[in-house]
Amino acid sequence: GEDVEQSLFLSVREGDSSVINCTYTDSSSTYLYWYKQEPGAGLQLLTYIFSNMDMKQDQRLTVLLNKKDKHLSLRIADTQTGDSAIYFCAERGNYGQNFVFGPGTRLSVLP
Amino acid sequence: DAGVIQSPRHEVTEMGQEVTLRCKPISGHDYLFWYRQTMMRGLELLIYFNNNVPIDDSGMPEDRFSAKMPNASFSTLKIQPSEPRDSAVYFCASGQGVSGANVLTFGAGSRLTVL
């Protein structure tokens, strides 16, 4: 079945760039998403990308998609302490509502 | 819009008791999802509804779990009887439409502790 994998932890220094990586298996995925979860809160959508795009930029966030390798990344420029959270990658196929989430990457931003 | 509203935010109960979690989706959203989050298993889809009809309940762990959506603005997830292994954070999420990105909006979650 479909699977989404992420590394579980990432630590960066404040002001540096963070890159969170994700791989997925479903080649029919049409939309890929990045969600952020802060402690004690629900998941909040950060951004999403359609599968026919290679890149999407939104302020400090850059999403890169390599469809051939089924690899998605989220780059956060000028990482701040407020960016400390768990980041989930998710994919959805063209039909149905089967969103598949990765295990989440816990980002720690060190001062 | 106030977003997806879940209640209670926290529930502590004893094994064997019935637990009912509630969700109010965003008005106009025609999809509603129930997820469970634990450290061991991550985020698991339990069930989802489209236009108040259950579409896929294959993620519901066992018969002790049931979910209903009597109308477009309310859903419940019931566990009867509850067990300690049901302790988790339960999220409700709603979304709109099949085509397009159909972004999910999550509630703040209900943290359940079964003693």
Side-chain angles (χ1 to χ4, degrees), chain A residues 6 9 16 18 20 25 32 34-35 37 40 44 51 61 65 67-68 72 74 82 84 88-89 91-93 97-98 102:
Chain A
Q6 303 175 239
F9 302 98
D16 289 349
S18 308
I20 303 171
T25 58
L32 296 124
W34 284 104
Y35 280 84
Q37 185 181 30
Q44 174 192 6
S51 61
L61 304 180
L65 174 60
K67 197 172 179 183
K68 173 176 167 291
L72 183 74
L74 174 69
S84 293
F88 291 89
C89 170
E91 57 95 12
R92 182 175 75 90
Q97 296 300 309
N98 187 15

Side-chain angles (χ1 to χ4, degrees), chain B residues 77-107:
Chain B
L77 178 67
K78 188 174 291 187
I79 308 172
Q80 166 64 17
S82 58
E83 296 183 1
R85 60 188 167 129
D86 302 330
S87 297
V89 181
Y90 291 82
F91 288 104
C92 176
S94 69
Q96 183 174 36
V98 176
S99 62
N102 193 12
V103 169
L104 292 188
T105 302
F106 282 76

Side-chain angles (χ1 to χ4, degrees), chain A residues 31 33 35 37 40-43 45 48 88 92 96-97 99 101, chain B residues 9 31 33 35 37 43 48 91 98 100-104 106-107:
Chain A
Y31 286 93
Y33 308 79
Y35 280 84
Q37 185 181 30
L43 279 69
L45 178 73
Y48 64 89
F88 291 89
R92 182 175 75 90
Q97 296 300 309
F99 291 81
F101 285 84
Chain B
R9 289 296 314 277
Y31 283 85
F33 301 75
Y35 285 90
Q37 185 180 39
L43 200 62
Y48 79 87
F91 288 104
V98 176
N102 193 12
V103 169
L104 292 188
F106 282 76

Side-chain angles (χ1 to χ4, degrees), chain A residues 8-68:
Chain A
L8 298 182
F9 302 98
L10 176 66
S11 291
V12 299
R13 294 248 173 234
E14 192 174 13
D16 289 349
S17 292
S18 308
V19 179
I20 303 171
N21 295 301
C22 167
T23 57
Y24 59 97
T25 58
D26 186 1
S27 58
S28 70
S29 296
T30 55
Y31 286 93
L32 296 124
Y33 308 79
W34 284 104
Y35 280 84
K36 176 184 180 182
Q37 185 181 30
E38 296 181 351
L43 279 69
Q44 174 192 6
L45 178 73
L46 282 179
T47 186
Y48 64 89
I49 188 168
F50 187 49
S51 61
N52 68 353
M53 298 170 64
D54 299 325
M55 185 183 87
K56 182 178 181 181
Q57 187 151 3
D58 184 1
Q59 299 182 351
R60 291 190 298 123
L61 304 180
T62 303
V63 178
L64 294 177
L65 174 60
N66 181 329
K67 197 172 179 183
K68 173 176 167 291

